[in-house]
Amino acid sequence: MRPIANTRSAAGITTGRLAVWWVVGSEIVIFGGLLASYIMHRLAHASWAEQAAHTNVWIGLFNTFVLLTSSLFAVLAHYAAETERNGPKAARYLLFTFFGGLTFLLVKAAEWTIEITAGYTVTSNGFWSFYYTAAGLHATHVLAGMIIMLIVAHAARQGRELHRVELIGIYWHFVDIVWIFLFPLLYIAK
């Protein structure tokens, strides 16, 4: 018996896929509002360039590489689940994706430790307030994706619910795309 989320459809889209796109759409509104607010404040405050100069571009670049690599593993997991119908292989790729997310969070924690120790806290000024809010919201989404990924990988390893591999992949790609916007705004645009 196939799961309802994979058999029912609305407008020709399975309900599971439609639900993930609804989540992504609502998250676009949240991050879009945050980024638009950041850009408006950035343009109105010339001092932000000086404050942004204290972010470490190399750490941000490394984390960008880590997330993009983890997205590649999500694609490979989807291919293994969808084309090859190989749940254990899909689960292995999802674990690689999970460890990419874990690496990202550990590097982010080390980076924040360095910044906070240097005196750049959420209350230092407007830039750092936005920086910690945007990066923290993103990190929370990375963590949520990692938890869901473990659940999906567990089922995939047993050959169950392979359609969910695509669904967590869609979410993970969204998380990566958000970082592609955050990285230049927080690290490069000095």
Side-chain angles (χ1 to χ4, degrees):
M1 183 167 148
R2 291 172 47 148
I4 290 174
N6 204 28
T7 56
R8 287 188 180 169
S9 69
I13 301 171
T14 59
T15 53
R17 189 177 294 149
L18 184 62
V20 168
W21 282 111
W22 273 106
V23 168
V24 168
S26 66
E27 295 296 331
I28 288 170
V29 171
I30 292 168
F31 278 103
L34 180 64
L35 293 178
S37 177
Y38 172 85
I39 290 168
M40 289 184 336
H41 277 79
R42 180 72 181 250
L43 293 173
H45 298 88
S47 64
W48 279 32
E50 179 185 323
Q51 298 160 10
H54 299 286
T55 58
N56 189 317
V57 176
W58 294 108
I59 291 175
L61 188 61
F62 176 77
N63 260 349
T64 302
F65 173 76
V66 167
L67 278 184
L68 291 177
T69 302
S70 73
S71 248
L72 170 63
F73 288 123
V75 169
L76 294 173
H78 178 231
Y79 183 82
E82 186 85 10
T83 306
E84 298 174 357
R85 305 297 300 163
N86 187 335
K89 186 175 183 181
R92 278 192 304 277
Y93 283 130
L94 286 179
L95 287 178
F96 291 147
T97 307
F98 171 86
F99 284 115
L102 182 61
T103 301
F104 177 89
L105 291 179
L106 291 173
V107 169
K108 182 58 65 187
E111 177 187 20
W112 282 14
T113 300
I114 292 167
E115 291 164 347
I116 291 168
T117 303
Y120 305 115
T121 67
V122 72
T123 59
S124 294
N125 52 51
F127 169 78
W128 288 103
S129 180
F130 269 101
Y131 169 83
Y132 285 113
T133 300
L137 184 61
H138 178 263
T140 303
H141 283 75
V142 169
L143 181 61
M146 290 167 55
I147 292 167
I148 296 166
M149 201 164 308
L150 286 178
I151 295 166
V152 172
H154 178 70
R157 186 178 311 112
Q158 298 170 351
R160 297 183 297 111
E161 315 268 359
L162 293 181
H163 69 281
R164 291 182 177 175
V165 173
E166 176 190 16
L167 304 181
I168 189 58
I170 291 169
Y171 177 84
W172 196 255
H173 296 316
F174 163 74
V175 169
D176 286 353
I177 290 169
V178 168
W179 183 254
I180 295 300
F181 282 96
L182 287 177
F183 173 62
L185 288 173
L186 299 176
Y187 292 87
I188 296 174
K190 309 281 190 202

